[in-house]
Amino acid sequence: PGYRSRVSAVNDIGMGKPAELPGWCQARDMEIPPLIKVDPSAAKSMKVHAGMPLRIQVPLFGKPQPTATWSHEESDLENRSQVETTETTTTIMLPSCDRRDAGVWEMVAENPFGTASYQMNVKVMDTPGAPENIECKGITSKSCIVDWGPPSKDG
């Protein structure tokens, strides 16, 4: 059912007589809520070029081992990403990112003793989108003034 234990005091002269702990000690796993151990100097944002792989790794610890769930507002992660969680980290990988992968990525770690979350802002560098609200003004037989607004995706 468990362990019986004895304890002895030790000093410079030697070891004293042992004392026995009353009853049995039951060994059990530690109960530790998820801990995200990110270095405070680490960046909270990253830039990646469109078409290149995206990889976000987060140090993670807890007992029992937490499950990690990654999310992003516009990406279809189930079909495009791979998540790997070990005893010390959780990592999400996309083989090729595009504009829709820009924005805040969130990881939520859970186990029976709690939850913890981490966010990373990703900027995807790409060519700009098409200009918006294009208008021709002042049309004459020899010229035209074209006016437009900036693209919603600036690259």
Side-chain angles (χ1 to χ4, degrees):
Y3 297 93
R4 300 215 27 112
S5 300
R6 296 185 322 170
V7 179
S8 296
V10 178
N11 65 18
D12 292 339
I13 304 299
M15 184 184 321
K17 289 184 180 182
E20 201 164 294
L21 290 172
W24 291 87
C25 294
Q26 183 68 35
R28 59 187 160 119
D29 287 335
M30 295 177 67
E31 300 172 352
I32 303 172
L35 299 171
I36 296 171
K37 298 180 176 183
V38 176
D39 184 339
S41 66
K44 287 279 194 176
S45 64
M46 65 187 305
K47 292 180 183 177
V48 63
H49 289 274
M52 299 301 291
L54 171 66
R55 182 176 186 267
I56 305 172
Q57 186 173 57
V58 179
L60 178 62
F61 181 75
K63 291 284 184 180
Q65 182 175 338
T67 58
T69 305
W70 287 87
S71 62
H72 180 266
E73 61 229 16
E74 291 187 32
S75 287
D76 177 19
L77 298 182
E78 293 214 3
N79 298 323
R80 300 178 51 233
S81 67
Q82 179 181 355
V83 175
E84 182 179 305
T85 302
T86 68
E87 288 186 16
T88 58
T89 63
T90 180
T91 306
I92 188 164
M93 297 165 279
L94 271 70
S96 177
C97 66
D98 57 40
R99 282 192 178 126
R100 66 186 163 173
D101 300 319
V104 176
W105 287 73
E106 183 173 35
M107 185 277 301
V108 176
E110 293 182 87
N111 74 9
F113 305 105
T115 63
S117 65
Y118 177 78
Q119 293 184 336
M120 171 67 76
N121 187 34
V122 174
K123 181 164 186 171
V124 178
M125 309 300 286
D126 198 357
T127 56
E132 296 181 359
N133 304 318
I134 300 172
E135 286 185 71
C136 288
K137 298 177 181 179
I139 300 172
T140 68
S141 62
K142 294 187 178 191
S143 68
C144 162
I145 297 173
V146 179
D147 191 22
W148 66 87
S152 59
K153 301 286 185 177
D154 67 359

